[in-house]
Each structure stands twice: as structure tokens, then as C-alpha cells.
Amino acid sequence: MPVLPGAEPYRHDGGEIGVLLCHGFTGTPQSLRPWAEYLAERGLTVSLPLLPGHGTRWEDLAVTAWQDWYAEVDRALRDLRERCARVFVFGLSMGGALALRLAARHGDDVAGLVLVNPGNKVHGLAAHALPVARHLVPSIKGIASDIAKEGSEEVGYDRVPLHAAHQLRHFFRLVDRELPQVTQPLVVLHSVRDHVVPPADSARVLSRVSSTDVTEILLEQSYHVATLDHDADRIFDESVAFIDRIAPRAGQTSGEGGTGPGESAEGTASGG
């Protein structure tokens, strides 16, 4: 199945500091592509994979499980650890939960986390109906493009398959139990107005992690996909400042430009 235009994975080979970026549920790397390119331009090695079942059609997501999504970012982290001295993990929405599980399970192999509107729970009465409803209703209206900035759009599905939503609920519960195992330096940026993930999810994450180096930043001008919204520049700047504080050598090697799909892995993007 062809990948949606703009949804391709991205990779850039830069210096000895690596960053893994994890996109959200029903979204694609497009939502994080400007962030990834910003990091690449500053000499960092960057990996932004496309999660299984995403970036094609919602029916493909319906036949995947949370283990598939997690396995992809776990593989990407291990790849970065082989080529980089230190690796940071950034995530948006469900990508934040993926990042937290990587931190809980990989310990010192993750140098720090930056999370934007991290998801922690499937909310509402409908969540409790998922075990049954998923067998009766294939999908519901999508959650993509919750963005305040006019003209900015997210590449994502217009439908949410309920089988996948059920998997997401299981995954969030698993990650919530593992949060006390997260000890790495952590930055959480969350929107005051978010129509997909409520601020309570960020509060829950902050209250349960064991990290002692924690920064909370409120985003007052953006909705859920803040990486494509009015606060994007602040997110990018804060993330680089965080890396420079934790791993000061990050700025010593400069990299040029990003990369497009289909190019070789030698300092370029992967298209598949």
C-alpha cells in the first residue's frame, strides 16, 4: 500500500548525539517533520520512523497491535544507540507514551525525554465500551489536525479504527504502570487547549515518573498537534536547549539539510 504524500519516515545522519522522534496515533512523521529537520540542521542524528499501520489507510491500522508500534521505535532506538554516544527520545501524543516506555525499559540508553501533549488514557464513556463496540463498529470519526494555526494541516487518518483504539487503551494502561521506572531528565510541553488529549494526561505523567530533573511548559497558543501550530518554534528551541544542557557536545558537529524518502541511509532519509 503506497504511503500518503508527506507521511514518509525521515532520517538524518549527523553528529554523535541522536534523537528519536515518535509520532502519534493515526498520525504520521509529517506532524514531526519540521521538528526533525530543525534538529538535523543543528548537527544532530535524527530518526523519525513511520509506525506500522500508519500513513496508508485506516484499515491497515485496524490489523495492528500496540506491540507492532512499540517494536518499531524500539528498533529505531537500538539503531541510534549503535551509532551515537547519547540518544534522546521525543514524542507527540501516543508518541509520548512510546517514548516513556522506551525510557522505562532502556534506562541509561535514553539520555532524556521531550514530550508534547503526551497521551496517558483513552477518555470518556466510549473507552469502556471498546471491548464490545470494536466488534460492532469498524471505525469512528478521526482525530487528526487539531491545530489552531490557520492553514496548517496534519497528514493523518480521517477515521479511527476501534480495534486499534482498543489496543491503544491497553498500551496506555501498560505505560502508566511503568511510569515510576522513568528516571531520565524530562521536559513536558502541553497545550492549555487540547481537543484530543486533556491536560490531565500530562499531569498524570508528571506525578508518576521518578525523574528529578523535570520541566513543565504550558503552550498557550496551540491545540493538540502543537508541533505544527503557533508554538512550534518554542518547542523546537526548548528541545535543543534541553539537549545542549544534558549533552553539551551536541552542537560540535554540524549537519546539512534534511533528506527525502528513497535516499540512502548515508546521511539521508529512509523511504520505507
Side-chain angles (χ1 to χ4, degrees):
M1 179 61 60
V3 173
L4 296 170
E8 303 87 359
Y10 174 90
R11 195 170 88 187
H12 174 85
D13 289 338
E16 62 182 4
I17 305 300
V19 181
L20 168 61
L21 296 103
C22 309
H23 70 75
F25 181 66
T26 75
T28 71
Q30 178 262 353
S31 62
L32 300 180
R33 182 68 176 255
W35 196 2
E37 292 177 342
Y38 181 94
L39 298 168
E41 289 168 359
R42 280 147 187 82
L44 298 162
T45 293
V46 180
S47 176
L48 172 51
L50 173 63
L51 299 178
H54 293 74
T56 52
R57 56 177 190 162
W58 69 262
E59 291 89 347
D60 295 330
L61 181 58
V63 295
T64 62
W66 70 261
Q67 292 93 337
D68 301 315
W69 314 329
Y70 179 74
E72 181 64 21
V73 296
D74 186 82
R75 179 204 58 76
L77 175 63
R78 294 176 189 275
D79 180 67
L80 282 174
R81 284 296 296 140
E82 290 180 358
R83 64 182 66 214
C84 297
R86 305 190 76 180
V87 177
F88 292 80
V89 184
F90 298 174
L92 167 68
S93 194
M94 180 188 75
L98 290 168
L100 286 162
R101 186 159 207 253
L102 288 172
R105 294 180 66 86
H106 286 276
D108 291 341
D109 281 347
V110 175
L113 302 170
V114 177
L115 312 179
V116 179
N117 294 321
N120 176 259
K121 182 180 180 181
V122 175
H123 294 269
L125 294 175
H128 300 287
L130 278 174
V132 175
R134 65 195 177 102
H135 296 294
L136 305 174
V137 181
S139 68
I140 60 175
K141 183 180 178 181
I143 56 175
S145 281
D146 185 36
I147 302 172
K149 185 177 181 181
E150 186 175 353
S152 183
E153 295 186 5
E154 179 186 19
V155 175
Y157 294 146
D158 59 3
R159 305 294 298 177
V160 175
L162 291 193
H163 276 294
H166 183 61
Q167 287 292 315
L168 179 64
R169 184 174 182 235
H170 276 303
F171 181 63
F172 279 161
R173 287 180 167 184
L174 172 67
V175 174
D176 187 70
R177 293 194 296 268
E178 295 180 342
L179 287 178
Q181 300 173 40
V182 176
T183 60
Q184 294 88 342
L186 169 67
V187 177
V188 175
L189 305 101
H190 62 94
S191 300
V192 175
R193 294 171 294 169
D194 186 327
H195 305 97
V196 178
V197 173
D201 283 29
S202 290
R204 174 76 175 180
V205 169
L206 290 166
S207 71
R208 286 183 55 75
V209 296
S210 298
S211 306
T212 56
D213 183 345
V214 177
T215 303
E216 179 183 12
I217 298 172
L218 296 182
L219 304 175
E220 299 182 352
Q221 303 180 68
S222 301
Y223 295 161
H224 182 61
V225 192
T227 50
L228 298 178
D229 216 326
H230 293 294
D231 291 297
D233 288 345
R234 184 179 186 191
I235 294 169
F236 304 167
D237 290 343
E238 292 283 358
S239 68
V240 169
F242 174 68
I243 291 174
D244 288 342
R245 177 169 66 83
I246 303 299
R249 295 172 296 171
Q252 291 184 2
T253 303
S254 62
E256 290 186 3
T259 49
E263 297 174 339
S264 73
E266 299 287 327
T268 56
S270 170

